[in-house]
Amino acid sequence: MTTIEETAGRDGALRPGGGAGWPAVGALAAATFTVVTSEMLPVGLLTPIGGALGVTDGTAGLTITVTGVVAALGAPALTLAVGRADRRTVLCGLMGMIAAANLLAAWSPGFGVMLAARVLVGLGMGGVWALAAGLAVRLVAARSVAAATSLIFSGVAAASVLGVPAGTLTGQVGGWRAAFVVVGGAAALVAVALAVLLPPLPAEGAVRLGGVLRLFRDARVRTGLVVVALLVGGHFAAYTYVRPVLEEVSGVGPGVISTLLLVYGGAGVAGNFLGGAGAGRSPRGTLVVISAVLAGAVLLVPVLGVGVPGAVALLAVWGLAYGGVSVSTQTWLMAVAPEAREAASALFVAVFNAAIALGAFGGGRVVDGWGVTAVLWVGGALAVGAAVAVGAGRGPGG
């Protein structure tokens, strides 16, 4: 009885299917977990970083902004730059870069060195995410691609639940530099795991700038990217300020907030797998539901989210809906551009990270000008716009 299915790609390379590729998929999930943890690690460490490096908390926040902007620009640039290089080799190199960048951040004698380290994190994260996102189809049988893609993206959701809180706790126990050392060590271990578990992954064809630009001519691709921008931008416009929302709108005390965010994160992991399963059957239908539920959860916080019970319920629904965004939108783009998976993934990562930066920045301006309740209306309105775009735009199947 054959236990390993293999299919020949257009480049003639044999690709494992069935159960043979699941350890490799697990290694890719560990990679996405590690790079997103690296991206978000300073969130819980801004005050000690600023104090040690002699900058304000606001300036220390550039460690997040710079990484997101570089990832948005670097994802398509790196995908073009690696050409026909074996994707296993590239991924291992990028994870090595992430490891070195975190160790450089841990050593930083000044803020300039810290920013340089964060630029390297952005480059590595953009490249890893862009390449890993489209590899499930090359590692498992066709019937398992949706589940494998969900597992790869579970690393993103798990990082928000486990990675950032664990890094923050490490910083509290051993200092912020120790947190960067630990994450750097984890990235090095993941690089080794990728080298051992991934099969050779020769490029299916070099990604060229003309090919990336041609994707924009496809209305289905444009619709997918618009939906990504609206959902991610709307989410981060509101979620970036979830702590003041919970304190001022829901009336939740500071001691309960970490528990509420853990509820949100756990729901997000569940939503990732539910969204992946649904998108495997119908990306359009799944994204309509996700957009509508996300809009409802955010818009209802000022109405039904008063007090701990209401806040818990709405945060769980919010997390469940947003947890499915990454995998569902990625599945949409893979379905409409199967011949250009890496180029589509690069665009996806670029738009995703740009939407994070713009959403957080725009949300801040709304909070400063009109208050925290207003930012919920903005986030909900953008999610409604995403639902309209999904329903009215062209997508998989037409």
Side-chain angles (χ1 to χ4, degrees):
M1 180 176 65
T2 301
T3 58
I4 298 177
E5 300 174 65
E6 293 186 342
T7 58
R10 289 189 300 275
D11 55 9
L14 291 177
R15 297 163 191 171
W22 284 104
V25 170
L28 290 173
T32 60
F33 173 86
T34 306
V35 298
V36 173
T37 297
S38 296
E39 178 188 24
M40 303 304 296
L41 185 60
V43 168
L45 304 170
L46 286 183
T47 299
I49 289 174
L53 301 182
V55 298
T56 65
D57 287 352
T59 301
L62 289 174
T63 56
I64 300 295
T65 304
V66 165
T67 302
V69 171
V70 171
L73 298 174
L78 276 172
T79 305
L80 294 170
V82 297
R84 294 184 176 275
D86 187 290
R87 273 32 185 169
R88 177 175 65 179
T89 302
V90 174
L91 284 168
C92 291
L94 290 173
M95 288 306 303
M97 178 191 295
I98 293 285
N102 278 297
L103 295 178
L104 179 62
W107 171 76
S108 297
F111 193 62
V113 175
M114 170 62 79
L115 284 184
R118 298 300 293 172
V119 166
L120 292 177
V121 169
L123 285 173
M125 187 194 74
V128 169
W129 195 345
L131 295 177
L135 287 179
V137 71
R138 300 183 64 180
L139 296 172
V140 298
R143 64 180 179 274
S144 301
V145 167
T149 302
S150 295
L151 181 57
I152 291 172
F153 275 103
S154 72
V156 176
S160 65
V161 182
L162 303 174
V164 174
T168 303
L169 178 61
T170 302
Q172 291 173 344
V173 174
W176 66 267
R177 295 182 189 273
F180 282 98
V181 170
V182 170
V183 177
L189 291 175
V190 171
V192 173
L194 291 172
V196 172
L197 297 174
L198 284 179
L201 292 167
E204 295 180 298
V207 177
R208 303 190 184 281
L209 180 59
V212 174
L213 296 177
R214 276 194 297 274
L215 285 178
F216 282 109
R217 300 177 188 171
D218 189 331
R220 302 171 302 171
V221 172
R222 292 198 302 271
T223 298
L225 294 176
V226 167
V227 172
V228 171
L230 290 171
L231 284 176
V232 176
H235 167 76
F236 277 93
Y239 186 71
T240 301
Y241 306 95
V242 69
R243 178 162 186 155
V245 165
L246 290 173
E247 290 177 340
E248 297 179 28
V249 177
S250 300
V252 173
V256 184
I257 288 177
S258 59
T259 302
L260 294 181
L261 295 182
L262 187 62
V263 170
Y264 164 88
V269 173
N272 174 80
F273 288 101
L274 289 174
R281 296 188 295 271
S282 172
R284 186 190 297 274
T286 300
L287 279 168
V288 167
V289 172
I290 284 174
S291 301
V293 173
L294 183 61
V298 174
L299 291 172
L300 287 173
V301 169
V303 180
L304 302 178
V306 179
V308 172
V312 167
L314 287 175
L315 273 180
V317 175
W318 187 344
L320 192 68
Y322 185 73
V325 168
S326 297
V327 66
S328 299
T329 50
Q330 180 74 38
T331 300
W332 176 296
L333 290 171
M334 294 300 97
V336 300
E339 75 292 343
R341 289 191 298 269
E342 287 188 355
S345 292
L347 289 174
F348 170 80
V349 175
V351 171
F352 198 103
N353 282 279
I356 290 175
L358 290 173
F361 178 81
R365 306 291 72 75
V366 172
V367 168
D368 288 344
W370 294 284
V372 292
T373 299
V375 84
L376 295 170
W377 301 125
V378 171
L382 290 174
V384 170
V388 173
V390 173
R394 294 189 59 195

mmCIF file of all heavy atoms in Angstrom, residues 2-7 14-23 136-145 199:
data_model
loop_
_atom_site.group_PDB
_atom_site.id
_atom_site.type_symbol
_atom_site.label_atom_id
_atom_site.label_comp_id
_atom_site.label_asym_id
_atom_site.label_seq_id
_atom_site.Cartn_x
_atom_site.Cartn_y
_atom_site.Cartn_z
ATOM 1 N N THR A 2 0.612 2.175 -0.855
ATOM 2 C CA THR A 2 1.401 3.388 -0.945
ATOM 3 C C THR A 2 0.984 4.356 0.138
ATOM 4 O O THR A 2 -0.180 4.632 0.332
ATOM 5 C CB THR A 2 1.211 4.050 -2.316
ATOM 6 O OG1 THR A 2 1.608 3.114 -3.310
ATOM 7 C CG2 THR A 2 2.073 5.293 -2.440
ATOM 8 N N THR A 3 1.957 4.866 0.865
ATOM 9 C CA THR A 3 1.668 5.824 1.933
ATOM 10 C C THR A 3 2.068 7.236 1.561
ATOM 11 O O THR A 3 1.793 8.170 2.284
ATOM 12 C CB THR A 3 2.420 5.436 3.223
ATOM 13 O OG1 THR A 3 3.812 5.403 2.934
ATOM 14 C CG2 THR A 3 1.945 4.099 3.739
ATOM 15 N N ILE A 4 2.735 7.401 0.437
ATOM 16 C CA ILE A 4 3.153 8.725 0.011
ATOM 17 C C ILE A 4 2.685 8.955 -1.407
ATOM 18 O O ILE A 4 3.003 8.215 -2.322
ATOM 19 C CB ILE A 4 4.692 8.884 0.057
ATOM 20 C CG1 ILE A 4 5.208 8.719 1.473
ATOM 21 C CG2 ILE A 4 5.103 10.241 -0.499
ATOM 22 C CD1 ILE A 4 6.703 8.798 1.573
ATOM 23 N N GLU A 5 1.873 10.001 -1.574
ATOM 24 C CA GLU A 5 1.438 10.395 -2.897
ATOM 25 C C GLU A 5 2.379 11.470 -3.395
ATOM 26 O O GLU A 5 2.800 12.333 -2.652
ATOM 27 C CB GLU A 5 0.019 10.986 -2.854
ATOM 28 C CG GLU A 5 -1.019 10.043 -2.323
ATOM 29 C CD GLU A 5 -2.331 10.782 -2.201
ATOM 30 O OE1 GLU A 5 -2.870 11.181 -3.247
ATOM 31 O OE2 GLU A 5 -2.797 10.963 -1.080
ATOM 32 N N GLU A 6 2.747 11.444 -4.693
ATOM 33 C CA GLU A 6 3.577 12.478 -5.233
ATOM 34 C C GLU A 6 3.018 12.923 -6.560
ATOM 35 O O GLU A 6 2.487 12.122 -7.318
ATOM 36 C CB GLU A 6 5.023 12.016 -5.405
ATOM 37 C CG GLU A 6 5.705 11.749 -4.062
ATOM 38 C CD GLU A 6 7.173 11.433 -4.227
ATOM 39 O OE1 GLU A 6 7.570 11.095 -5.343
ATOM 40 O OE2 GLU A 6 7.892 11.516 -3.232
ATOM 41 N N THR A 7 3.150 14.205 -6.819
ATOM 42 C CA THR A 7 2.703 14.732 -8.088
ATOM 43 C C THR A 7 3.827 15.521 -8.713
ATOM 44 O O THR A 7 4.629 16.146 -8.017
ATOM 45 C CB THR A 7 1.500 15.683 -7.887
ATOM 46 O OG1 THR A 7 1.887 16.723 -7.003
ATOM 47 C CG2 THR A 7 0.310 14.939 -7.324
ATOM 48 N N LEU A 14 9.233 16.550 -8.011
ATOM 49 C CA LEU A 14 8.232 15.752 -7.314
ATOM 50 C C LEU A 14 7.861 16.433 -6.016
ATOM 51 O O LEU A 14 8.705 16.921 -5.273
ATOM 52 C CB LEU A 14 8.789 14.348 -7.027
ATOM 53 C CG LEU A 14 8.992 13.467 -8.267
ATOM 54 C CD1 LEU A 14 9.606 12.145 -7.852
ATOM 55 C CD2 LEU A 14 7.691 13.241 -8.996
ATOM 56 N N ARG A 15 6.587 16.436 -5.752
ATOM 57 C CA ARG A 15 6.085 17.088 -4.554
ATOM 58 C C ARG A 15 5.327 16.093 -3.703
ATOM 59 O O ARG A 15 4.481 15.373 -4.215
ATOM 60 C CB ARG A 15 5.184 18.264 -4.922
ATOM 61 C CG ARG A 15 5.952 19.326 -5.674
ATOM 62 C CD ARG A 15 5.030 20.256 -6.365
ATOM 63 N NE ARG A 15 5.834 21.079 -7.284
ATOM 64 C CZ ARG A 15 5.336 21.894 -8.170
ATOM 65 N NH1 ARG A 15 4.046 22.016 -8.289
ATOM 66 N NH2 ARG A 15 6.122 22.595 -8.953
ATOM 67 N N PRO A 16 5.581 16.040 -2.418
ATOM 68 C CA PRO A 16 4.908 15.075 -1.562
ATOM 69 C C PRO A 16 3.457 15.432 -1.360
ATOM 70 O O PRO A 16 3.090 16.592 -1.339
ATOM 71 C CB PRO A 16 5.684 15.176 -0.235
ATOM 72 C CG PRO A 16 6.253 16.533 -0.255
ATOM 73 C CD PRO A 16 6.522 16.873 -1.690
ATOM 74 N N GLY A 17 2.641 14.425 -1.201
ATOM 75 C CA GLY A 17 1.236 14.648 -0.895
ATOM 76 C C GLY A 17 0.842 13.777 0.260
ATOM 77 O O GLY A 17 1.660 13.178 0.936
ATOM 78 N N GLY A 18 -0.484 13.598 0.454
ATOM 79 C CA GLY A 18 -0.958 12.764 1.542
ATOM 80 C C GLY A 18 -0.443 13.259 2.861
ATOM 81 O O GLY A 18 -0.399 14.429 3.150
ATOM 82 N N GLY A 19 0.008 12.331 3.718
ATOM 83 C CA GLY A 19 0.484 12.712 5.035
ATOM 84 C C GLY A 19 1.944 13.065 5.071
ATOM 85 O O GLY A 19 2.451 13.519 6.080
ATOM 86 N N ALA A 20 2.685 12.846 3.955
ATOM 87 C CA ALA A 20 4.128 13.036 3.972
ATOM 88 C C ALA A 20 4.520 14.475 4.245
ATOM 89 O O ALA A 20 5.585 14.747 4.790
ATOM 90 C CB ALA A 20 4.733 12.578 2.644
ATOM 91 N N GLY A 21 3.678 15.437 3.856
ATOM 92 C CA GLY A 21 4.063 16.823 3.991
ATOM 93 C C GLY A 21 3.651 17.484 5.289
ATOM 94 O O GLY A 21 3.982 18.652 5.502
ATOM 95 N N TRP A 22 2.939 16.800 6.162
ATOM 96 C CA TRP A 22 2.428 17.452 7.366
ATOM 97 C C TRP A 22 3.518 17.918 8.330
ATOM 98 O O TRP A 22 3.395 18.994 8.918
ATOM 99 C CB TRP A 22 1.426 16.554 8.069
ATOM 100 C CG TRP A 22 0.110 16.550 7.348
ATOM 101 C CD1 TRP A 22 -0.395 15.565 6.552
ATOM 102 C CD2 TRP A 22 -0.852 17.609 7.304
ATOM 103 N NE1 TRP A 22 -1.601 15.940 6.023
ATOM 104 C CE2 TRP A 22 -1.916 17.185 6.462
ATOM 105 C CE3 TRP A 22 -0.924 18.873 7.887
ATOM 106 C CZ2 TRP A 22 -3.026 17.983 6.209
ATOM 107 C CZ3 TRP A 22 -2.023 19.675 7.630
ATOM 108 C CH2 TRP A 22 -3.062 19.230 6.794
ATOM 109 N N PRO A 23 4.614 17.157 8.537
ATOM 110 C CA PRO A 23 5.692 17.715 9.362
ATOM 111 C C PRO A 23 6.251 19.010 8.779
ATOM 112 O O PRO A 23 6.570 19.944 9.520
ATOM 113 C CB PRO A 23 6.747 16.599 9.361
ATOM 114 C CG PRO A 23 5.961 15.347 9.142
ATOM 115 C CD PRO A 23 4.875 15.730 8.185
ATOM 116 N N ALA A 136 1.390 25.270 0.876
ATOM 117 C CA ALA A 136 0.585 24.109 1.276
ATOM 118 C C ALA A 136 0.245 23.227 0.081
ATOM 119 O O ALA A 136 0.274 21.997 0.167
ATOM 120 C CB ALA A 136 -0.690 24.567 1.981
ATOM 121 N N VAL A 137 -0.061 23.853 -1.056
ATOM 122 C CA VAL A 137 -0.457 23.098 -2.243
ATOM 123 C C VAL A 137 0.669 22.219 -2.759
ATOM 124 O O VAL A 137 0.426 21.243 -3.470
ATOM 125 C CB VAL A 137 -0.939 24.075 -3.346
ATOM 126 C CG1 VAL A 137 0.226 24.868 -3.919
ATOM 127 C CG2 VAL A 137 -1.684 23.340 -4.454
ATOM 128 N N ARG A 138 1.909 22.525 -2.380
ATOM 129 C CA ARG A 138 3.055 21.734 -2.823
ATOM 130 C C ARG A 138 3.470 20.679 -1.802
ATOM 131 O O ARG A 138 4.384 19.902 -2.073
ATOM 132 C CB ARG A 138 4.247 22.657 -3.108
ATOM 133 C CG ARG A 138 3.975 23.690 -4.198
ATOM 134 C CD ARG A 138 5.201 24.530 -4.501
ATOM 135 N NE ARG A 138 6.277 23.727 -5.055
ATOM 136 C CZ ARG A 138 7.468 24.226 -5.401
ATOM 137 N NH1 ARG A 138 7.710 25.523 -5.240
ATOM 138 N NH2 ARG A 138 8.404 23.440 -5.891
ATOM 139 N N LEU A 139 2.817 20.655 -0.656
ATOM 140 C CA LEU A 139 3.257 19.763 0.416
ATOM 141 C C LEU A 139 2.263 18.672 0.762
ATOM 142 O O LEU A 139 2.652 17.651 1.330
ATOM 143 C CB LEU A 139 3.565 20.583 1.675
ATOM 144 C CG LEU A 139 4.728 21.573 1.562
ATOM 145 C CD1 LEU A 139 4.794 22.464 2.805
ATOM 146 C CD2 LEU A 139 6.050 20.840 1.361
ATOM 147 N N VAL A 140 0.994 18.876 0.472
ATOM 148 C CA VAL A 140 -0.018 17.878 0.818
ATOM 149 C C VAL A 140 -0.915 17.619 -0.384
ATOM 150 O O VAL A 140 -0.901 18.370 -1.366
ATOM 151 C CB VAL A 140 -0.880 18.336 2.023
ATOM 152 C CG1 VAL A 140 -0.023 18.511 3.273
ATOM 153 C CG2 VAL A 140 -1.625 19.610 1.700
ATOM 154 N N ALA A 141 -1.710 16.560 -0.278
ATOM 155 C CA ALA A 141 -2.645 16.233 -1.348
ATOM 156 C C ALA A 141 -3.694 17.325 -1.487
ATOM 157 O O ALA A 141 -3.970 18.079 -0.552
ATOM 158 C CB ALA A 141 -3.320 14.895 -1.054
ATOM 159 N N ALA A 142 -4.299 17.415 -2.667
ATOM 160 C CA ALA A 142 -5.248 18.492 -2.965
ATOM 161 C C ALA A 142 -6.371 18.557 -1.944
ATOM 162 O O ALA A 142 -6.810 19.650 -1.562
ATOM 163 C CB ALA A 142 -5.821 18.306 -4.370
ATOM 164 N N ARG A 143 -6.859 17.411 -1.482
ATOM 165 C CA ARG A 143 -7.980 17.402 -0.537
ATOM 166 C C ARG A 143 -7.610 17.998 0.808
ATOM 167 O O ARG A 143 -8.491 18.348 1.610
ATOM 168 C CB ARG A 143 -8.481 15.968 -0.337
ATOM 169 C CG ARG A 143 -7.461 15.046 0.311
ATOM 170 C CD ARG A 143 -7.982 13.631 0.492
ATOM 171 N NE ARG A 143 -6.989 12.758 1.094
ATOM 172 C CZ ARG A 143 -6.057 12.112 0.428
ATOM 173 N NH1 ARG A 143 -5.982 12.231 -0.895
ATOM 174 N NH2 ARG A 143 -5.193 11.332 1.045
ATOM 175 N N SER A 144 -6.317 18.128 1.093
ATOM 176 C CA SER A 144 -5.864 18.611 2.396
ATOM 177 C C SER A 144 -5.290 20.023 2.350
ATOM 178 O O SER A 144 -4.824 20.529 3.374
ATOM 179 C CB SER A 144 -4.789 17.664 2.960
ATOM 180 O OG SER A 144 -5.286 16.353 3.094
ATOM 181 N N VAL A 145 -5.327 20.663 1.187
ATOM 182 C CA VAL A 145 -4.688 21.969 1.046
ATOM 183 C C VAL A 145 -5.322 23.010 1.976
ATOM 184 O O VAL A 145 -4.627 23.797 2.621
ATOM 185 C CB VAL A 145 -4.728 22.446 -0.417
ATOM 186 C CG1 VAL A 145 -4.360 23.927 -0.519
ATOM 187 C CG2 VAL A 145 -3.780 21.614 -1.263
ATOM 188 N N PRO A 199 10.959 19.424 2.017
ATOM 189 C CA PRO A 199 11.615 18.797 0.859
ATOM 190 C C PRO A 199 12.231 19.886 -0.011
ATOM 191 O O PRO A 199 11.950 21.080 0.186
ATOM 192 C CB PRO A 199 10.437 18.131 0.134
ATOM 193 C CG PRO A 199 9.280 19.009 0.443
ATOM 194 C CD PRO A 199 9.495 19.494 1.853
#
